[in-house]
Amino acid sequence: MIDDAKIVMEAVRAADHDRYLSALYAPADKRDALFSLYAFNAEISGIRDRIHQPLPGEVRLQWWRDTIAGEADDRADVGHPVADALKATISAHRLPKPAFDNMLEARIFDLYDDPMPSRTDLEGYCGETAAALIQLAAMVLDPVEAPRFAELAGRAGCAQAMTGLLLLLPLHRRRGQCFVPADVLAAAGSSPEEFVKGDGGPGAQRAVAAMLALAREHLAAFEQGAPALPPALRPAYLPLALTRAYLDRMESRSPLDRVVRLSALRRHWLLLRRASKGWPPI
């Protein structure tokens, strides 16, 4: 079990370093549960990168759905360190299985090149993925307080996921995938087909600017309510400490063709400051 816990932790460190760092600020007895959630998220969000055909990807998502559904004893090992750790976390913390089913359903979109239809669809996708992950982590940390901040988790998840999608723009465009909503592209004078080709066309920068503004809108709404977060819940929201810095960097360096990064020192400092002081009142 100790070896499996280490495997799960290392998987998060390799695939999702920002969430890995944030989990280190959680109480020691909660970290393994957080790592299991974040490792699961890394597993399902990375399926497109490992399995290049949609149908095998859907089979993999269905395997996770069946494993979590727990047709057998929830405590029975399936021989997969991340799955076994996740099942233990769901059981120990009484996490709602429908939230995982919804997350897996949303991830089907990742496997195809269909355009994101609208802003509403994008916000729904963010809600079922990043926002749900924040809320599940909050339930691990404090199941009594977590439900009070479900709406805040929605705003936080939208801000975080939209920022993440902007950071991944070069990868998505190379494989012909477009998460920028069609209605946002139309308003910018572009289309999903044009956006993923070449320089993205004349409307590409306007579409990116609109996405940055949308992410900032959700971030501002989160930061408005964040000062009320109890200290116990902060680790679940801690990755949001980096979101504004990522958005600021993308304002000055277009994310269309280059991967925008923050230095390790900058990320450590931002996380430490928020972990110790929380979010100041706006």
Side-chain angles (χ1 to χ4, degrees):
M1 291 298 292
I2 293 175
D3 288 343
D4 281 355
K6 186 175 181 180
I7 290 170
V8 172
M9 181 186 72
E10 291 297 334
V12 179
R13 177 152 60 181
D16 192 345
H17 202 252
D18 290 348
R19 286 192 176 96
Y20 165 77
L21 291 175
S22 71
L24 298 180
Y25 289 96
D29 62 341
K30 305 286 188 179
R31 288 176 198 157
D32 285 349
L34 294 181
F35 285 138
S36 73
L37 292 174
Y38 298 156
F40 164 71
N41 182 66
E43 283 269 342
I44 64 172
S45 64
I47 288 176
R48 172 72 183 256
D49 299 318
R50 299 189 302 274
I51 302 174
H52 303 298
Q53 295 298 320
L55 185 56
E58 288 209 42
V59 170
R60 189 60 178 168
L61 290 173
Q62 185 61 47
W63 180 87
W64 277 104
R65 190 176 287 110
D66 294 342
T67 298
I68 292 169
E71 296 292 336
D73 187 343
D74 281 353
R75 295 167 295 178
D77 289 348
V78 297
H80 187 295
V82 175
D84 290 335
L86 182 67
K87 283 164 60 72
T89 294
I90 292 171
S91 178
H93 297 276
R94 299 181 180 179
L95 300 181
K97 290 183 179 181
F100 294 93
D101 193 62
N102 293 340
M103 195 181 300
L104 290 161
E105 184 68 24
R107 288 294 180 184
I108 293 175
F109 183 87
D110 299 1
L111 306 178
Y112 295 87
D113 294 335
D114 298 333
M116 184 68 70
S118 68
R119 168 179 169 165
T120 301
D121 291 299
L122 176 61
E123 289 171 336
Y125 172 88
C126 296
E128 300 291 4
T129 55
L133 188 63
I134 291 170
Q135 185 66 358
L136 289 165
M139 292 175 69
V140 165
L141 293 166
D142 190 332
V144 174
E145 289 287 345
R148 293 180 48 224
F149 297 92
E151 184 176 348
L152 197 64
R155 290 291 200 167
C158 282
Q160 185 184 30
M162 289 176 189
T163 301
L165 292 173
L166 284 165
L167 290 170
L168 290 172
L169 266 181
L171 170 64
H172 292 160
R173 293 180 71 234
R174 281 197 300 272
R175 63 192 186 196
Q177 193 173 24
C178 187
F179 281 88
V180 180
D183 57 356
V184 172
L185 287 166
S190 185
S191 68
E193 295 76 21
E194 182 180 49
F195 184 78
V196 299
K197 293 180 179 177
D199 63 1
Q205 292 294 349
R206 291 192 293 272
V208 169
M211 285 291 291
L212 288 167
L214 183 56
R216 287 190 183 278
E217 177 185 323
H218 284 286
L219 180 62
F222 162 72
E223 290 178 338
Q224 186 73 34
L229 280 171
L233 294 184
R234 283 181 197 164
Y237 292 84
L238 201 51
L240 272 294
L242 307 176
T243 300
R244 183 172 292 279
Y246 280 125
L247 292 173
D248 289 346
R249 182 64 58 90
M250 286 188 283
E251 291 278 6
S252 59
R253 301 181 185 181
S254 173
L256 270 173
D257 298 304
R258 70 187 81 178
V259 178
V260 175
R261 294 187 174 91
L262 298 176
S263 71
L265 182 62
R266 175 78 169 149
R267 288 184 291 128
H268 278 281
W269 165 243
L270 290 170
L271 290 168
L272 175 62
R273 186 174 65 181
R274 284 289 175 259
S276 58
K277 298 182 178 180
W279 276 265
I282 295 177

